[in-house]
Amino acid sequence: MDRDDTTLRVLSTSDLAGLDITLADVVDTVEQACRTLAAGRSDNPRKLTVKPADGHSVSYAMLGRDGAREVVAVKTSYKHGLGESRDKQHYYTTLTIYDDVTGLPVAMMDCSRIGSLRTPAVSALLARECAAPGATTALVIGTGTQGRLALPFLLTTLPGLKRLMLSGSHPDGLTAVRAELARHFPDRDIELVTDLTRAAREADVIVATAGAHTSAAIEAENLKPGATAILVGHGLAPSVLHRADRVIATSEAQMHVTGTDMADAEGNFPPVDLELPVIVSGVSKARTAPQQRIFAYNSGLVVTDIALGHRFAQLAAEQNLGTEVALWR
């Protein structure tokens, strides 16, 4: 079917699963999106949030424009059963992209794989920019979707890491983390830790990806001088944020929306020193002294989803994947 203004390429979970993309390609795509945003050529408005009073679900809507790729997109995210275990939750996320040069729709896709790659890539960029010189030890907390790719992406941006530690409680998750690392870095191994406090005191870089029900909560006093602590999900106590020497975020506005559990008793946050797009653009440095303890908040930027989603749409079109739907006919 010829593409026109009535048809839309729909890419399913299985369509996207069959596409190969390197970790370096993902990092480069995400970094370019951040640079373009910092240059003022992209738009990344604050996300909209809807949550019922009883907290059983949460919904997000995010609109953005990537100025480098000249595309506009809308991402939606809906999670149901927040009080349930992960296997009982329902989660759906989509990304719909439009070409802002031709005015034609590009694709609508399941956004779960996009997010599963984008988020650890952003964490890896935060680690690269915030880690103290000579950082050699990394600790990942959690073995869910984000925990499984955290170490491969960290090794992509920080190849000097020598010691890789993992804290988790789910046997299947631990196995999955090992398998993912072996797939990308077959010569590397993971050290499972049971004493999280001790591991935190030895880590140069900590990436906390645990789920909401985790009992892990590293405190500020558990961090060594010069440590970088990156929060993606849960696993860090609010003191790590409030007592940090430097606070970095992908977006300060979004941290205030999604990071409310890190606020103080009055609901306040310390000011953010820098946002990631400014840092990767080279205008300012995240770290200004080797001994600084840095807290970094990874809340995601829709422009990075858009850039990576568009990259996947290009790869899918080259392989003629997806289903053309006459949506507006």
Side-chain angles (χ1 to χ4, degrees):
M1 181 184 295
D2 294 332
R3 299 301 309 280
D4 57 34
D5 61 359
T6 69
T7 63
L8 178 68
R9 183 187 298 273
V10 178
L11 297 170
S12 68
T13 303
S14 56
D15 290 329
L16 296 174
L19 293 173
D20 289 328
I21 188 168
T22 66
L23 301 184
D25 191 350
V26 174
V27 171
D28 289 345
T29 301
V30 169
E31 184 169 4
Q32 181 194 50
C34 289
R35 290 179 182 272
T36 307
L37 180 61
R41 295 168 52 204
S42 295
D43 296 293
N44 193 97
R46 181 171 173 169
K47 67 174 64 175
L48 298 177
T49 308
V50 174
K51 193 171 186 178
D54 64 2
H56 74 270
S57 69
V58 64
S59 307
Y60 298 110
M62 292 146 277
L63 170 68
R65 185 181 189 279
D66 184 320
R69 294 174 175 269
E70 295 190 281
V71 295
V72 174
V74 180
K75 178 183 177 181
T76 63
S77 177
Y78 171 68
K79 181 176 285 188
H80 182 277
L82 297 185
E84 304 289 341
S85 59
R86 186 176 298 150
D87 60 323
K88 294 182 179 179
Q89 293 179 351
H90 297 281
Y91 178 62
Y92 308 98
T93 178
T94 62
L95 183 70
T96 307
I97 307 172
Y98 303 89
D99 189 316
D100 202 28
V101 175
T102 65
L104 297 178
V106 175
M108 178 181 182
M109 66 190 70
D110 168 35
C111 201
S112 56
R113 189 178 179 202
I114 306 303
S116 71
L117 291 170
R118 177 266 293 161
T119 302
V122 170
S123 292
L125 285 171
L126 286 166
R128 186 191 73 189
E129 300 297 332
C130 297
T136 61
T137 303
L139 167 64
V140 171
I141 304 170
T143 61
T145 301
Q146 295 306 319
R148 295 172 190 184
L149 275 169
L151 288 171
F153 272 104
L154 284 176
L155 287 171
T156 301
T157 60
L158 289 174
L161 292 173
K162 304 299 183 187
R163 186 182 178 194
L164 309 176
M165 297 187 290
L166 175 67
S167 173
S169 58
H170 298 285
D172 290 344
L174 296 171
T175 299
V177 172
R178 284 191 182 280
E180 200 65 45
L181 182 63
R183 187 162 73 90
H184 296 284
F185 294 91
D187 60 330
R188 303 302 301 269
D189 199 4
I190 297 172
E191 175 185 338
L192 299 181
V193 300
T194 54
D195 188 336
L196 184 57
T197 299
R198 179 178 177 180
R201 289 172 177 161
E202 298 173 352
D204 298 303
V205 176
I206 300 170
V207 182
T209 73
H213 300 293
T214 185
S215 59
I218 293 173
E219 297 285 352
E221 58 264 26
N222 301 143
L223 301 184
K224 64 187 290 188
T228 295
I230 302 167
L231 184 62
V232 181
H234 300 269
L236 301 179
S239 64
V240 176
L241 164 61
H242 293 274
R243 290 169 55 186
D245 298 307
R246 297 274 283 175
V247 176
I248 308 298
T250 48
S251 166
E252 183 172 15
Q254 291 190 13
M255 183 174 79
H256 291 178
V257 172
T258 59
T260 53
D261 56 321
M262 297 295 285
D264 64 17
E266 287 73 43
N268 299 319
F269 295 85
V272 169
D273 293 289
L274 287 172
E275 294 183 333
L276 180 62
V278 174
I279 298 169
V280 298
S281 72
V283 172
S284 301
K285 291 188 177 298
R287 178 177 294 275
T288 58
Q291 298 298 299
Q292 288 172 333
R293 293 179 176 91
I294 295 181
F295 172 88
Y297 189 79
N298 181 355
S299 58
L301 294 166
V302 73
V303 290
T304 59
D305 292 282
I306 293 171
L308 193 55
H310 186 254
R311 180 76 180 112
F312 270 97
Q314 290 175 319
L315 295 172
E318 292 170 3
Q319 299 180 36
N320 198 31
L321 295 175
T323 304
E324 295 282 0
V325 178
L327 186 62
W328 298 285
R329 183 176 298 175

